């Protein structure tokens, strides 16, 4: 488990997930209290030596947009077009379209010391919640290789949304053998049909440390 004594170490990184305008107040897929994560994340950024950002980055014709699925509305689900057929793709309002204001990082997020930005969800036919793998669970983003090359084996995760991109990233990180901690006071959740409770449980089962603060 990571605590603040690890933050400055070379083998430890802060992974800041999707702190983008569309997930904040007024955004297309606004997460309740999404903006409130910015201040605590900026404080944490000051403590960590290694900071990595993720950015949800979809083409306009993306499969996850309800508007691209005839007869469907946001928050409906459809069978996954790939991978495990027992899983379903949640459909979302159009959000984080490449090059738009909604896809930009929140203006107050301190990005000065960020070392890497991992963009995800950029293939039209597949969504990508996790910073490590697209939702087929097998197409890699390259983040695992980057962390290995850098000798980073411990991660603290913060950002949006707790029950989607933060949770999927944390679960993958733990499965890949990283020492993984989610800091809830610097996260906010979408919470669709109990998804927050479900994902908190899945994270714990996967060996993710879930803490209120560092
Ligand atoms: C996210 C839904 C769709 C997230 C991204 O960042 O949690 N959620 N795209
Ligand atoms: Zn998305």
């Amino acid at each position: 488990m990571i605590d603040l004594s690890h933050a400055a170490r070379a083998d430890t990184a802060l992974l800041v997930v999707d702190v983008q305008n569309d997930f904040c107040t007024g955004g297309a897929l606004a997460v309740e209290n999404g903006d409130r994560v910015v201040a605590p994340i900026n404080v944490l950024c000051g403590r960590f030596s290694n900071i990595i950002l993720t950015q949800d980055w979809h083409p306009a014709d993306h499969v996850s947009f309800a508007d691209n699925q005839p007869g469907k509305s946001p928050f409906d689900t459809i069978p996954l077009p790939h991978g495990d057929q027992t899983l379903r793709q949640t459909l979302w309002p159009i959000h984080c379209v490449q090059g738009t204001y909604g896809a930009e990082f929140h203006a107050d997020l301190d990005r000065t010391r960020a070392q890497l930005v991992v963009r995800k969800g950029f293939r039209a036919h597949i969504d990508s919640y996790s910073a490590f793998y697209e939702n087929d669970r097998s197409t890699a983003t390259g983040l695992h290789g980057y962390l290995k090359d850098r000798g980073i084996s411990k991660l603290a995760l913060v950002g949006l949304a707790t029950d989607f991109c933060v949770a999927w990233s944390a679960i993958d990180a733990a499965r890949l053998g990283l020492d993984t901690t989610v800091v809830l006071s610097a996260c906010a959740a979408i919470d669709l049909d109990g998804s927050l409770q479900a994902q908190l449980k899945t994270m714990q089962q996967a060996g993710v440390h879930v803490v209120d603060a560092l």
Side-chain angles (χ1 to χ4, degrees), residues 70-145:
K72 296 291 176 188
S73 307
F75 312 110
D76 286 348
T77 63
I78 57 169
L80 273 192
H82 46 71
D84 184 342
Q85 297 295 309
T86 64
L87 296 175
R88 296 179 69 82
Q89 167 74 51
T90 301
L91 298 177
W92 305 105
I94 295 170
H95 66 278
C96 297
V97 175
Q98 296 170 358
T100 64
Y101 172 79
E104 286 174 19
F105 292 110
H106 189 291
D108 298 334
L109 180 71
D110 181 3
R111 284 152 285 160
T112 40
R113 291 176 51 257
Q115 297 162 345
L116 177 73
V117 176
V118 179
R119 286 179 168 167
K120 58 186 184 56
F122 51 74
R123 293 188 174 88
H125 65 282
I126 184 168
D127 207 357
S128 186
Y129 296 148
S130 166
F132 292 93
Y133 294 101
E134 303 200 15
N135 288 7
D136 61 1
R137 321 305 299 130
S138 61
T139 306
T141 62
L143 179 57
H144 185 215

Side-chain angles (χ1 to χ4, degrees), residues 135-157:
N135 288 7
D136 61 1
R137 321 305 299 130
S138 61
T139 306
T141 62
L143 179 57
H144 185 215
Y146 175 87
L147 296 177
K148 274 204 289 200
D149 275 354
R150 297 265 331 262
I152 294 171
S153 59
K154 298 179 178 58
L155 275 190
L157 288 93

Side-chain angles (χ1 to χ4, degrees), residues 23 56 58 64 92 95 127:
F23 298 121
D56 212 36
H58 302 308
S64 78
W92 305 105
H95 66 278
D127 207 357

